[in-house]
Each structure stands twice: as C-alpha cells, then as structure tokens.
Amino acid sequence: MRIDVLTLFPDVFNNLNSFSIIKKAIDSKKVELKTHNLRDFSDNSRKVDDYPYGGSPGMVIKIEPIDKCIEELKKKNIYDEIIYLTPDGDLLNQKTSNYFSTLNNIIIICGHYKGIDHRVRDHLITKEISIGEFVVSGGELPAAVLCDSIIRLIPGVLGDETSALTDSYQDNLLAPPVYTRPSTFEDLKVPEILLSGDQLKIENWREEKAIERTRKLRPDIFDWFLSINKTKNVYSHSILI
C-alpha cells in the first residue's frame, strides 16, 4: 500500500515513520508512506496561503499547490481515494479504517490555518474524514491517527494477524477486559475463568463481557448491535437481555 500525505509540515511524520507498528510496516515494505511539502509546489516565494474572499479572519491554503501536487502524483500512480481531514467530515470509525486498509494507493491532504480553498473539496477529493467533533491546529495529527488506524490492519503488519480482529468496534462491540501476570496483585485477582484453561468458556466469557461493556458504555452502539443480532438470532436471549 502507498500513502501520500500532502502537508505544510512534513517533519511531523518523521517520528511516525520510526516507531512501532508503522516502522515495521515500512521496513517490511508492506507500506510506503511519503510526505510532500505543498510549498514545493508553489511559486518561488513558496507562499501557499492567502486571505479569504469576503473579509473573514485567518488564511486559506490555495488551490494551485494542492492541484499541482496531486497531478504530479497521478502521473506515477493510480489512487483509489483522495482524503481530506476536516472537522466536518465523516467521523472515522473502524469500518472506514478497514475499508481504507484494502486499497492500494491513497492521498491524504492536511489542511491548516482556516482550511483549504473549497474548490479542492468540491472537485479534487473523494472522501472527507474527521477524527472527532473538535478542532486542532492542522490536519497533520489527524492524518497520523488515520494512517496508524489503516496500517495496523494491513495483513502481515501485526505479529499476530488475529489481534486486530479482537479490537473494539471490529464486531460492533467494545473489546472485553484484558489481564496479565501476576494473577494476584495485593487483593486484586484476575477472573478465575481466564485461568481455567477452558478455551470455550473463556471465549464465551469474553463475548459476554464485550456485550456488557458496550451496553454500559456505548448504549448507542449496543442498541444497533442488539437490533442486528436479534434479527440474525445469533446471540441467546439471556446474553443480550
């Protein structure tokens, strides 16, 4: 997979490329993560922003450097999606990350200042993504979050490929509690069933705890999960109710 990030601050991604799962994915050539400084696609002044029409405060990234960068990239690659990070985009969720992880090439555009010329959004991008209903100074940190959520799902990146399948939201539930050694810390004990060695009972316990936590912490997700699985008749009445 190839991810091209258009940004005014490519140095933000230097650390992202050099740690943990993302570094492993890059070193094993599962992923190419390339950054492109939009100032390199401007004129000699390297100016990429200007005042907004209409007289409002702040600066806006111009369309020309973004368009030029995308055109240069398209000469070498075919892109499945061109993504813009924006607070008013579609909220990022696990389903979206799963989808992006199946693609071959994507472009991610990081806004800054008051955003980008809206003609970019109308005519050049294919997806608008938000990581939450809040505003940060630029699109670089949201882009890093998006990249991480995608890359860890690519086959062969995680040491145990089944690990991602048990993450929260993969099956529309929150993940169950997890514990490790020691089995007893002061007067706090790991649930006995996890020490039993009975894998079927352990899996049933995990499933029940995932449902329980989702019902308590995310009733919005649980109501949807309940309606879907009652229709499918997958889970027993005692577990769901």
Side-chain angles (χ1 to χ4, degrees):
M1 182 182 197
R2 179 184 172 106
I3 302 175
D4 288 278
V5 181
L6 281 54
T7 173
L8 297 179
F9 302 97
D11 288 347
V12 171
F13 294 88
N14 289 343
N15 286 337
L16 186 70
N17 295 349
S18 60
F19 79 96
S20 190
I21 298 301
I22 294 179
K23 182 180 188 301
K24 177 183 175 183
I26 293 171
D27 290 347
S28 63
K29 302 190 184 305
K30 301 289 184 183
V31 172
E32 287 184 88
L33 180 57
K34 305 292 185 181
T35 57
H36 307 273
N37 192 333
L38 287 172
R39 298 186 191 280
D40 295 337
F41 298 88
S42 183
D43 56 25
N44 291 336
S45 70
R46 294 176 63 81
K47 182 177 174 60
V48 296
D49 61 326
D50 211 330
Y51 294 101
Y53 282 120
S56 61
M59 303 293 282
V60 178
I61 298 177
K62 300 192 291 185
I63 188 172
E64 293 98 332
I66 296 175
D67 179 66
K68 185 175 180 181
C69 183
I70 291 174
E71 286 304 309
E72 287 297 315
L73 290 171
K74 283 184 173 180
K75 290 178 182 178
K76 301 176 182 178
N77 303 289
I78 297 174
Y79 289 92
D80 303 295
E81 298 283 5
I82 300 177
I83 303 161
Y84 175 53
L85 277 304
T86 173
D88 57 352
D90 294 328
L91 190 62
L92 179 64
N93 57 32
Q94 194 64 41
K95 181 179 179 181
T96 303
S97 295
N98 288 343
Y99 162 68
F100 287 145
S101 74
T102 67
L103 305 179
N104 293 316
N105 303 307
I106 62 175
I107 291 174
I108 298 175
I109 302 174
C110 302
H112 215 77
Y113 312 124
K114 292 296 287 185
I116 61 177
D117 188 302
H118 207 82
R119 287 169 289 187
V120 175
R121 300 177 67 171
D122 285 339
H123 301 290
L124 298 180
I125 68 170
T126 61
K127 295 281 187 185
E128 296 188 340
I129 296 295
S130 168
I131 65 165
E133 295 177 345
F134 54 88
V135 176
V136 293
S137 298
E140 285 74 23
L141 294 180
V145 169
L146 177 61
C147 287
D148 186 272
S149 76
I150 294 170
I151 291 171
R152 65 187 307 278
L153 295 171
I154 296 173
V157 170
L158 293 180
D160 182 349
E161 292 187 15
T162 64
S163 178
L165 299 179
T166 60
D167 290 340
S168 290
Y169 306 111
Q170 280 290 13
D171 55 358
N172 303 307
L173 293 171
L174 300 183
V178 293
Y179 302 86
T180 189
R181 294 170 178 80
S183 60
T184 301
F185 174 73
E186 297 180 352
D187 60 345
L188 305 175
K189 295 183 177 182
V190 171
E192 286 294 332
I193 193 168
L194 297 179
L195 309 176
S196 69
D198 189 325
Q199 203 58 40
L200 179 59
K201 288 183 178 180
I202 290 172
E203 292 306 318
N204 287 338
W205 179 88
R206 286 174 174 160
E207 185 175 74
E208 290 179 14
K209 289 298 180 181
I211 292 171
E212 179 183 304
R213 294 187 73 241
T214 305
R215 177 166 48 190
K216 178 181 179 180
L217 300 175
R218 290 296 303 273
D220 54 327
I221 296 176
F222 179 75
D223 288 344
W224 181 84
F225 167 83
L226 186 62
S227 65
I228 293 297
N229 286 287
K230 274 187 173 180
T231 300
K232 293 180 179 179
N233 198 28
V234 173
Y235 293 94
S236 72
H237 182 79
S238 61
I239 292 177
L240 291 175
I241 303 300

